[in-house]
Amino acid sequence: MKHLTITLIIILVWGKGFSQEISVESGLNFTSYRYNNSTGDSNENVKPDSGFYSRLGLGAFQLGSQKIGYGASFQQLNATGGDGYENYNWKTNYLGGFVQYQKLIYKNRIGAKLSLDFLHLVSGKQKIGGETFDLTNEKEMNGTWINPSVGVFANVINSNSLGLDIGYNFSYAFKAGGQGTESLSYASSQVYFRVHLKSPKNELDVHEHELPKYIIPDSVSNNQLALEQEIQNLKLEINVLQQPLNPLPENTVFFNLDSYKIDKDQYQKLETLANYLINNPTMIATLVGYADDTTGQTAYNQTLSNNRSKSVQEFLISMLVDPSQCIVKGEGETSQFNQKIYDSNRRVTIILTSKK
């Protein structure tokens, strides 16, 4: 356990230095052993037991249009049992890494996620009666394990600097290799909370060591010193105002007939918009959806326009845009953009404004 603690501390420090967002997901494993002996028989005396688990999120990488999180994983997969004569239990500690994809699916509050852990047994004990046995050399338990899981979560807090989720996962771990004459796998239910801390992004990156040092003679009075400092501050403000503004991203996303699915040829403009909003946290994007008025009923087209704007919103949030920067609005059917080329009216128009 000492080595495990040291390893987790090193990973935490390393990850904090290189990641814009760090997260900790912790909870309880309620694990059932799926065990069969050399003759294929199971042991009905083996009962589920609970243990601790934690995932330390260190960052994310881009896969297509989606962001995939990664980090370190720790899992306790325990069991207990007894045959009426003596009691026994298994206590195991697995350490490894994970990748994870998650997506908000309902009102920016409820989401689903898929995770894949790669685990290795770092310590394990089995107690039978009064004796204790080391499990790290047991072929059915050591080695590399693959632990996929699926889960749901609810977003409780989501601010610019802090997020809090609660959720449930179901996982099934199996060994990536031979286990000899016996076989073992783990089925676990997990309940957890997840805290993620977001590093603030500065609109202008100014370092103290880059600023000219202002030297005041000893003879200058306090009033003169205050005046000179005020002049220095005004110079800095002027420099900020003279910085060129970021070019505004393209403001229209087009859709196919009777569809609110975003085509891949629209991804680049939305990725550019997402980067713009992340780097300009005071900006708000109003996402106004439309449908053409040549097909479908008015009520249906109203729903279609709403869904188109929501699709753009979900895409931006998946790119880590703050949900408070995205306002959804459906305007229903229209022909105002082009009365002959109907495709021009199947759109979401993006209007950028500053927060008040």
Side-chain angles (χ1 to χ4, degrees):
M1 184 60 70
K2 177 181 177 182
H3 297 296
L4 172 62
T5 303
I6 294 174
T7 302
L8 287 176
I9 291 174
I10 292 173
I11 293 173
L12 174 62
V13 174
W14 177 86
K16 186 61 177 176
F18 288 90
S19 176
Q20 288 295 326
E21 177 177 337
I22 190 167
S23 65
V24 177
E25 176 183 319
S26 296
L28 292 177
N29 268 331
F30 297 93
T31 304
S32 297
Y33 279 29
R34 307 293 174 87
Y35 169 79
N36 293 98
N37 60 22
S38 57
T39 62
D41 296 327
S42 61
N43 187 342
E44 296 180 355
N45 295 318
V46 179
K47 303 298 182 184
D49 200 2
S50 62
F52 173 76
Y53 95 92
S54 183
R55 290 190 180 106
L56 176 65
L58 300 176
F61 60 90
Q62 195 75 26
L63 183 63
S65 64
Q66 306 298 333
K67 285 191 178 291
I68 307 298
Y70 65 87
S73 177
F74 172 70
Q75 306 269 351
Q76 288 183 331
L77 303 172
N78 302 330
T80 187
D83 56 9
Y85 297 98
E86 57 186 4
N87 295 322
Y88 37 88
N89 61 58
W90 294 261
K91 302 291 183 182
T92 63
N93 296 312
Y94 287 86
L95 182 65
F98 75 92
V99 291
Q100 186 177 88
Y101 170 72
Q102 62 181 25
K103 182 179 180 65
L104 291 169
I105 57 177
Y106 181 70
K107 292 187 176 180
N108 295 324
R109 288 293 182 184
I110 306 298
K113 69 176 182 178
L114 299 172
S115 305
L116 184 62
D117 297 73
F118 300 91
L119 304 171
H120 186 82
L121 181 67
V122 293
S123 65
K125 302 291 183 182
Q126 180 184 14
K127 290 185 178 181
I128 301 179
E131 296 188 64
T132 302
F133 301 91
D134 187 1
L135 297 175
T136 56
N137 294 321
E138 297 296 328
K139 192 172 183 180
E140 68 271 16
M141 288 191 163
N142 61 15
T144 300
W145 286 70
I146 298 175
N147 184 34
S149 64
V150 60
V152 294
F153 64 91
N155 184 245
V156 180
I157 299 174
N158 187 14
S159 69
N160 289 334
S161 59
L162 174 68
L164 174 64
D165 306 331
I166 56 174
Y168 166 83
N169 300 324
F170 175 79
S171 69
Y172 187 84
F174 57 92
K175 186 176 178 181
Q179 292 182 308
T181 59
E182 299 178 331
S183 65
L184 176 67
S185 58
Y186 306 114
S188 299
S189 292
Q190 300 172 331
V191 290
Y192 69 89
F193 69 91
R194 176 176 177 265
V195 176
H196 42 110
L197 304 174
K198 307 172 186 177
S199 298
K201 293 181 174 62
N202 296 323
E203 292 185 24
L204 181 63
D205 190 11
V206 178
H207 301 284
E208 288 187 4
H209 67 272
E210 296 174 351
L211 298 178
K213 295 185 179 296
Y214 188 81
I215 301 174
I216 305 295
D218 294 337
S219 59
V220 178
S221 68
N222 290 336
N223 289 338
Q224 288 175 317
L225 178 61
L227 177 60
E228 293 291 350
Q229 187 62 50
E230 184 67 23
I231 292 173
Q232 185 73 4
N233 292 337
L234 288 173
K235 288 181 178 179
L236 288 176
E237 292 179 8
I238 291 171
N239 288 336
V240 171
L241 292 174
Q242 289 177 340
Q243 294 293 322
L245 295 175
N246 293 331
L248 294 179
E250 190 173 347
N251 65 350
T252 306
V253 179
F254 295 101
F255 292 83
N256 290 324
L257 176 64
D258 194 27
S259 174
Y260 55 88
K261 179 182 178 182
I262 300 174
D263 284 348
K264 291 184 178 180
D265 61 1
Q266 304 293 303
Y267 283 177
Q268 184 174 355
K269 63 178 73 173
L270 286 177
E271 290 168 359
T272 301
L273 174 63
N275 290 330
Y276 177 85
L277 292 172
I278 290 171
N279 292 321
N280 296 272
T282 62
M283 298 299 291
I284 293 177
T286 301
L287 313 173
V288 186
Y290 295 93
D292 76 79
D293 62 358
T294 61
T295 58
Q297 299 297 318
T298 300
Y300 180 86
N301 286 334
Q302 179 64 54
T303 301
L304 182 58
S305 69
N306 290 338
N307 289 337
R308 284 172 174 168
S309 56
K310 288 178 182 177
S311 293
V312 174
Q313 179 193 44
E314 290 173 356
F315 187 99
L316 294 174
I317 292 173
S318 75
M319 298 292 293
L320 302 185
V321 173
D322 189 331
S324 67
Q325 291 181 266
C326 303
I327 298 176
V328 171
K329 188 177 181 181
E331 288 290 347
E333 59 188 26
T334 185
S335 60
Q336 63 173 306
F337 300 104
N338 196 311
Q339 295 183 358
K340 295 182 179 180
I341 304 176
Y342 306 129
D343 291 355
S344 299
N345 300 310
R346 302 166 190 149
R347 65 164 62 195
V348 168
T349 299
I350 299 155
I351 303 172
L352 295 172
T353 55
S354 297
K355 292 182 179 178
K356 296 182 179 180

